Amino acid sequence: MITKYVLPILLSFGSHLVAQDEPDSKPTSQPTDTAEDRPSETKDDDAADAEEDRFTVIRGADVYTGTGSMLRRASILIKNDKIEAVGHDLDVPDGATEIDATGKAVSPGFVSVGSSGFGAPGTFRLEEVADGLNPWDPSIKLGLAAGITSFGMMANEGRDVPRGKSAVLKLAPGDLEGMLCATDTILSMRMPLDRQQWRKLRELVDQAREHLDAVAKFEEEQKSSAGKSEDKKSNDGKDSAKGGKKKDDPKPPKPPRGTEEILDLLAGKKLLWIDLGNASRGWFMGGPTNSDNEKVRQGLEVAELLGRGVVFNRPITGWVYADRIARTGSMAILEPRSRVEPDEGNPDITGSNLASAAILADAGVPVAVMSPTSNLTLMGLYGQDVNTLHVDAAYAVRGGLDNRKGLRTITLDAAKMLGVDARIGSIEPSKDADLLILTGDPLHYASLVDTAIVNGKVVYERQKETFYSHISR
Amino acid sequence: MKHLITTTLLSLIAAHASAQQERPLAIRNARILTLAGEPIESGTVLIQDGRIKAVGAKVKIPAGAEVVDADGGTVMPGLVSAWSQAGLSGTRRTAPADQFHGRFRVRSTRQSSPVSKAGSKVSDSLYARQDVFGELLAAGVTTLAIAPMGLGFPGQAARVALDKETADGFVLDDDTYLVIGCAPNSSVKKAIKSALDAGKKALDDRNKPKEEPKQPDKSESAKKPTDSKPSDESGDKPKKGDEPKPEPKPGDEPKPEPKPEPKPKPEPGEKPKPNGKPASDDKKPADKKPEKKKDPNAEAIADLLEGKRSAMLVVSTSQELAHYVEAIDDYEFAVTLVAPNDNAFGGSLWLEPEAVSEVGARILIEPELRTPHYTRVLHDPGAELRKAGIEVGYLVGDTRFEVRDLFYKLMELVRHGADADTVLRGVTSIPAAMLGVEKDVGTVEKGKRANLLLFSGDPLAPTSRLVTVFYDGQPVGKEAAR
């Protein structure tokens, strides 16, 4: 997206910059930053001249912001695809589209942390997810009827090393560009590891750390020998290594093979999901039979090894290790609806716990909630499972989770698990305008989505679609 | 864990058994879903001697009564499971080799070979000491009818007590209804037809003026059980408690009718083989003429044709229903339908309510939203059937996991526009009527057995917990908190 604008601009800005910055690189150095910002702003202004800013205001609803608070009878102002303001006395520009939601509730769009369908490419190879989207997939409307406005999906998951492609997609019917929220924010690996796999992982992490040290040293040297070529700063080591266009400069150290993902994790660019193998056994099969204590413990070791929090994907016994999970800065995705019986020999620390979400949240662990089966295929008995994400969140509340945090588990904290909480998941100024107008409390089972708004556009209206139009509520 | 539950159950039962007679129990400060009228927003249920003595907003609690404060929670009738296979294949304690089968629900009626043993009783193959009964009770099931599986006439269902650890008093009723299984398959259809023919013949014999002297044996499958049935239901203590009397052995005489008695039914543990040796051995010498002995299978079907006995017809698709209608020819008798496996490819029954109502006025279905073939729009099958005037009950589930999911599924139906009261009646009073025990259970009304569920809130809300199950007025246990 950016590159479309940046490239021509950079071209016009003198050859020394072009040689330096290949289109893919993230602007980190000062000159590039300003160079990019200024012209793209003018570009935006041009566009704004051509078509006016769209303003929409939703009035009179109880606004559940997704952060835990609720504003009674408040208004939300949307400018184009972003939320402009939330509150009681808003300056609404003339000509704004008015949506009267008196007596209704507004919530952030629900985030399904792991799904497929909804217009995502059917293939499991996600290399070019953007080029495989189907913005007219009929299941998009179904997902919107269920309140889902975005979801994460993964492919090529890692087994014994962090790996994988991922994407966060939005349910924006007909809007190819609007569907893509983020790509490659997540890596995953599966527990448990055997001793050999542990050795390999430790080696990789060591190599990555050594590489970082080497890069730091290299940059130090570059700085000390500065003066002759100021503009040719190598920013990241990795990027410039790939660029490889320099003729005379000493090359920064190359990352050792296989450590690229680890480097991303160490730099906090991506999140690591720890798959415990629980999701593969559906609740209708009686759920996972084994307790996953050992896997959770190993996952915690991975977090400690990396010095970074990880995301536990559907742990059963996560509640046993709540404090340690909190200490490592890790997060957890839970399935409060499915229950796993404890082992008879060791009932105190095995089996699921309805209070998992409450225990983890009390320890300070961000918790997201997911339905036991995550796809909306509608072919079989359980195809409707993801239809009621809010009910799954309500199960967490039943287990003792603070009512106000209940909604977070399927909005802001769910976005956190996908690494996109800066863009979606709550109703706050400057965030994406993805929200729902509901017939009542977002966590009540009988509440239905009346209107869904994605990227500032109304994309679903209950009365106009067949799914729930027959219900008067 | 299971041992823990059982021992807790045992001690609870033991503790309360002695106190049962005297002390009344009052559940106060509860929202009462009577399911026999409007809910009572804040009321009291008074229980004595296992029965509901009074229910209402202004019930006076007698001095000395044990008082349970519901704390604004909701009381509703216990669940009635009218068609279940619980405990049939999962005899974990008796047959360890079978335990893996016990983990999965067995609901396939796809066995190729039909059976014709309408006189046999599933109660003869039931084992009382199974965890599943206590687990179902703790999950909220207070009335349970266990039906034999199979095509043709696989036998008679039994209603069992859920709080028994021994065979004593376990079977409340061993001839609850006949089971009929149909499949689009010529041997099944032939078997159904010939069994009905045999039943008709027996009925004709019965109506002949000269009545044969009754067999001295207490064959349960003749007319007798139907007479004693009502008293069984109303009585707390069933008379026919001592279960496996091995006498109703059908087919001990090779009758002239073409009655297929195929051996190939591959479930050795499930049902007693109809032609058991001991029965024929000890009866043959007593009989003078083999013709005089009544065939219990034919007698059972004669009862059905006479309207003395009810039947449940297991058909999951309209295809199976159509073949059943053809198989029974012009015999007329009422059945309750059971559709455990909706299958769009065989034709969903709920899309053909007229065809259903021609066969029976009641149906048990899975409590699930469905999509008709080729669409993605969810429908409420129960609502479609009710529109055609059919009474709809729901299958409650055979394991505690399924029973837990039940409330979730019912919630989905209500979310989809169904009336909460109607949906809850589908798991209480309607299946109770299907079992013929509606005078005893199914609603919260004066005189009924005090089988009650106390929830912390709306039973359908995911935020509510099942706090206590009352079985005959006694708190029997709690759902495991985790």
Side-chain angles (χ1 to χ4, degrees):
Chain A
M1 198 59 280
I2 297 166
T3 59
K4 207 162 77 189
Y5 297 112
V6 174
L7 190 59
I9 296 155
L10 289 178
L11 278 169
S12 67
F13 251 73
S15 55
H16 65 290
L17 270 174
V18 183
Q20 181 83 30
D21 286 277
E22 50 175 309
D24 276 337
S25 68
K26 280 187 188 147
T28 44
S29 56
Q30 205 46 41
T32 347
D33 234 333
T34 44
E36 183 216 333
D37 269 354
R38 219 180 304 125
S40 63
E41 246 166 49
T42 52
K43 200 88 179 168
D44 264 355
D45 288 346
D46 287 347
D49 285 344
E51 43 182 300
E52 297 257 300
D53 282 336
R54 281 181 299 113
F55 285 98
T56 308
V57 63
I58 302 166
R59 292 187 195 272
D62 290 346
V63 178
Y64 295 77
T65 60
T67 56
S69 58
M70 195 264 270
L71 308 170
R72 265 199 203 291
R73 296 186 161 269
S75 300
I76 302 166
L77 180 64
I78 298 166
K79 180 183 177 186
N80 297 327
D81 58 346
K82 301 278 180 196
I83 293 166
E84 180 81 2
V86 188
H88 288 94
D89 298 303
L90 303 181
D91 284 334
V92 178
D94 293 340
T97 312
E98 295 267 343
I99 298 177
D100 180 23
T102 311
K104 307 218 159 142
V106 171
S107 137
F110 302 156
V111 181
S112 169
V113 288
S115 283
S116 59
F118 302 136
T123 157
F124 285 111
R125 298 166 59 79
L126 264 178
E127 277 97 303
E128 300 297 342
V129 65
D131 295 331
L133 297 174
N134 175 8
W136 296 113
D137 185 332
S139 71
I140 288 180
K141 290 270 181 181
L142 264 175
L144 290 167
I148 297 168
T149 56
S150 31
F151 68 102
M153 66 180 297
M154 288 210 70
N156 310 336
E157 288 101 326
R159 172 65 191 88
D160 51 348
V161 287
R163 193 127 305 160
K165 305 284 287 179
S166 75
V168 182
L169 301 176
K170 285 196 184 188
L171 278 69
D175 182 0
L176 208 45
E177 266 178 35
M179 281 185 77
L180 198 63
C181 181
T183 50
D184 292 326
T185 51
I186 306 164
L187 299 169
S188 88
M189 66 186 296
R190 181 182 288 193
M191 296 294 118
L193 304 180
D194 62 26
R195 293 177 79 173
Q196 202 177 344
Q197 289 164 333
W198 265 112
R199 206 179 311 132
K200 187 176 157 198
L201 181 68
R202 290 212 168 90
E203 266 168 28
L204 280 177
V205 174
D206 287 345
Q207 284 174 11
R209 289 231 160 87
E210 276 164 25
H211 170 69
L212 287 179
D213 290 344
V215 169
K217 205 171 154 205
F218 171 77
E219 282 178 358
E220 199 72 17
E221 281 166 10
Q222 287 291 96
K223 238 176 239 164
S224 60
S225 65
K228 44 183 182 174
S229 57
E230 249 175 5
D231 47 343
K232 294 198 171 188
K233 251 185 219 159
S234 73
N235 32 22
D236 205 353
K238 184 184 148 203
D239 290 338
S240 40
K242 257 201 285 168
K245 283 191 180 174
K246 281 131 290 216
K247 297 135 249 171
D248 45 350
D249 281 343
K251 281 181 186 161
K254 260 186 169 177
R257 253 184 56 167
T259 60
E260 293 87 350
E261 283 91 354
I262 307 268
L263 285 167
D264 284 346
L265 292 173
L266 291 175
K269 286 184 192 165
K270 293 184 183 177
L271 287 164
L272 177 61
W273 280 29
I274 300 291
D275 183 4
L276 305 162
N278 295 330
S280 53
R281 293 204 56 186
W283 65 316
F284 47 88
M285 294 289 289
T289 49
N290 304 322
S291 294
D292 58 359
N293 302 58
E294 173 59 22
K295 298 180 201 167
V296 175
R297 279 197 292 264
Q298 290 204 12
L300 282 163
E301 274 180 51
V302 172
E304 282 156 9
L305 177 67
L306 293 170
R308 287 261 169 198
V310 296
V311 178
F312 286 94
N313 192 4
R314 309 178 192 226
I316 296 163
T317 59
W319 57 278
V320 180
Y321 308 97
D323 289 336
R324 216 172 138 198
I325 292 174
R327 223 179 302 133
T328 55
S330 298
M331 306 189 269
I333 298 166
L334 300 178
E335 231 175 77
R337 184 149 46 100
S338 42
R339 289 197 233 179
V340 181
E341 300 293 309
D343 286 350
E344 285 189 32
N346 205 356
D348 290 343
I349 61 159
T350 57
S352 64
N353 191 335
L354 192 57
S356 276
I359 293 170
L360 286 164
D362 284 349
V365 177
V367 172
V369 157
M370 193 51 208
S371 57
T373 52
S374 47
N375 296 342
L376 195 94
T377 58
L378 282 177
M379 286 302 284
L381 280 173
Y382 298 93
Q384 312 138 3
D385 218 29
V386 82
N387 242 348
T388 48
L389 219 44
H390 62 301
V391 173
D392 289 288
Y395 268 85
V397 174
R398 167 189 185 164
L401 184 69
D402 187 339
N403 205 2
R404 291 173 307 158
K405 280 187 185 158
L407 186 61
R408 277 183 76 124
T409 63
I410 52 169
T411 55
L412 189 57
D413 285 346
K416 235 176 229 175
M417 309 291 157
L418 299 170
V420 289
D421 51 317
R423 271 192 68 182
I424 60 173
S426 63
I427 301 181
E428 291 172 290
S430 86
K431 281 217 165 177
D432 287 9
D434 298 352
L435 35 92
L436 312 171
I437 302 174
L438 298 138
T439 55
D441 183 333
L443 291 194
H444 191 277
Y445 67 87
S447 295
L448 293 171
V449 177
D450 262 346
T451 308
I453 294 170
V454 172
N455 293 330
K457 288 183 204 140
V458 172
V459 287
Y460 168 83
E461 283 167 283
R462 181 158 68 98
Q463 296 309 332
K464 292 186 182 168
E465 308 283 341
T466 42
F467 314 119
Y468 297 109
S469 56
H470 64 286
I471 305 166
S472 53
R473 205 164 270 161
Chain B
M1 195 67 214
K2 274 162 218 144
H3 295 303
L4 222 148
I5 292 172
T6 16
T7 41
T8 337
L9 275 177
L10 262 177
S11 55
L12 270 169
I13 293 157
H16 284 284
S18 52
Q20 191 172 341
Q21 258 63 21
E22 310 93 41
R23 228 180 144 195
L25 176 88
I27 307 169
R28 60 176 286 276
N29 191 13
R31 180 168 196 266
I32 303 164
L33 297 174
T34 63
L35 301 187
E38 288 297 300
I40 299 161
E41 285 309 324
S42 178
T44 301
V45 186
L46 186 64
I47 301 165
Q48 192 157 30
D49 298 337
R51 299 251 162 198
I52 297 168
K53 212 179 163 198
V55 54
K58 290 178 191 117
V59 170
K60 220 180 146 193
I61 300 172
E66 190 181 337
V67 177
V68 175
D69 192 328
D71 199 18
T74 303
V75 169
M76 67 169 275
L79 302 174
V80 179
S81 181
W83 188 84
S84 170
Q85 272 75 49
L88 268 189
S89 50
T91 51
R92 265 176 267 173
R93 286 187 193 168
T94 46
D98 258 7
Q99 66 176 330
F100 292 107
H101 303 289
R103 298 200 76 84
F104 300 94
R105 65 176 169 186
V106 184
R107 264 196 193 159
S108 163
T109 50
R110 299 271 163 219
Q111 298 100 325
S112 52
S113 38
V115 291
S116 184
K117 32 181 199 174
S120 73
K121 294 175 193 299
V122 76
S123 59
D124 291 340
S125 58
L126 275 177
Y127 182 56
R129 284 174 63 92
Q130 292 190 72
D131 293 345
V132 65
F133 301 121
E135 288 168 5
L136 285 175
L137 182 58
V141 178
T142 54
T143 304
L144 176 67
I146 299 169
M149 293 290 295
L151 292 170
F153 288 90
Q156 300 178 18
R159 199 160 50 83
V160 300
L162 285 143
D163 60 346
K164 296 289 184 283
E165 273 288 303
T166 61
D168 206 20
F170 171 62
V171 177
L172 298 174
D173 180 9
D174 66 355
D175 59 347
T176 313
Y177 52 80
L178 279 178
V179 176
I180 309 172
C182 192
N185 167 328
S186 57
S187 68
V188 173
K189 290 167 73 177
K190 249 183 239 162
I192 290 177
K193 181 64 167 46
S194 54
L196 287 169
D197 288 343
K200 179 74 167 55
K201 203 158 159 267
L203 183 60
D204 290 347
D205 285 348
R206 203 184 277 177
N207 292 337
K208 271 179 203 159
K210 49 133 208 161
E211 186 70 34
E212 293 278 330
K214 272 275 156 66
Q215 287 297 130
D217 72 290
K218 27 190 173 118
S219 171
E220 313 260 54
S221 46
K223 280 185 245 164
K224 228 177 98 195
T226 28
D227 303 334
S228 58
K229 195 175 163 187
S231 64
D232 254 26
E233 276 143 16
S234 48
D236 237 342
K237 301 267 150 56
K239 289 161 293 177
K240 298 181 278 184
D242 11 353
E243 42 147 330
K245 284 175 209 146
E247 78 270 53
K249 294 298 176 190
D252 40 4
E253 298 301 276
K255 293 272 167 179
E257 315 113 36
K259 192 153 52 65
E261 290 278 20
K263 287 230 170 157
K265 259 208 98 194
E267 323 133 296
E270 276 206 36
K271 272 144 249 165
K273 282 286 167 210
N275 29 8
K277 280 144 272 164
S280 44
D281 280 352
D282 62 27
K283 270 169 205 169
K284 237 174 210 161
D287 297 337
K288 293 142 280 171
K289 278 190 259 170
E291 282 77 26
K292 278 192 178 170
K293 246 194 79 57
K294 288 189 176 173
D295 173 14
N297 295 330
E299 292 300 319
I301 290 170
D303 288 344
L304 174 67
L305 293 173
E306 215 177 359
K308 287 183 180 170
R309 198 186 279 279
S310 58
M312 284 226 188
L313 168 67
V314 187
V315 283
S316 284
T317 61
S318 29
Q319 179 200 18
E320 288 170 3
L321 186 68
H323 283 282
Y324 167 79
V325 169
E326 199 180 76
I328 62 166
D329 213 357
D330 33 283
Y331 286 109
E332 274 187 26
F333 51 92
V335 292
T336 300
L337 287 88
V338 186
N341 300 311
D342 177 34
N343 171 5
F345 292 90
S348 290
L349 282 172
W350 58 272
L351 288 171
E352 313 296 339
E354 282 77 25
V356 171
S357 60
E358 272 167 31
V359 175
R362 290 168 175 163
I363 188 168
L364 272 175
I365 58 173
E366 293 272 9
E368 275 160 5
L369 297 171
R370 311 290 306 186
T371 48
H373 211 23
Y374 303 124
T375 87
R376 286 166 174 259
V377 181
L378 289 165
H379 286 247
D380 179 354
E384 307 292 332
L385 290 163
R386 277 191 286 268
K387 266 185 228 161
I390 299 165
E391 230 173 41
V392 178
Y394 294 107
L395 293 165
V396 163
D398 291 356
T399 66
R400 62 185 144 160
F401 304 106
E402 288 174 22
V403 178
R404 279 176 197 160
D405 294 346
L406 173 76
F407 288 96
Y408 182 85
K409 291 173 177 175
L410 297 179
M411 173 280 294
E412 279 191 313
L413 298 181
V414 172
R415 173 175 159 74
H416 210 81
D419 172 51
D421 239 37
T422 309
V423 160
L424 287 174
R425 273 203 300 275
V427 291
T428 53
S429 60
I430 290 171
M434 290 173 178
L435 296 176
V437 293
E438 69 274 19
K439 289 204 179 72
D440 243 18
V441 298
T443 60
V444 187
E445 284 179 292
K446 189 182 171 191
K448 294 220 174 175
R449 280 173 68 185
N451 292 345
L452 305 171
L453 310 183
L454 171 59
F455 283 88
S456 61
D458 175 359
L460 299 180
T463 41
S464 307
R465 281 175 305 110
L466 175 57
V467 181
T468 315
V469 178
F470 294 91
Y471 189 64
D472 287 338
Q474 302 303 325
V476 286
K478 293 183 178 186
E479 254 244 298
R482 270 155 56 187

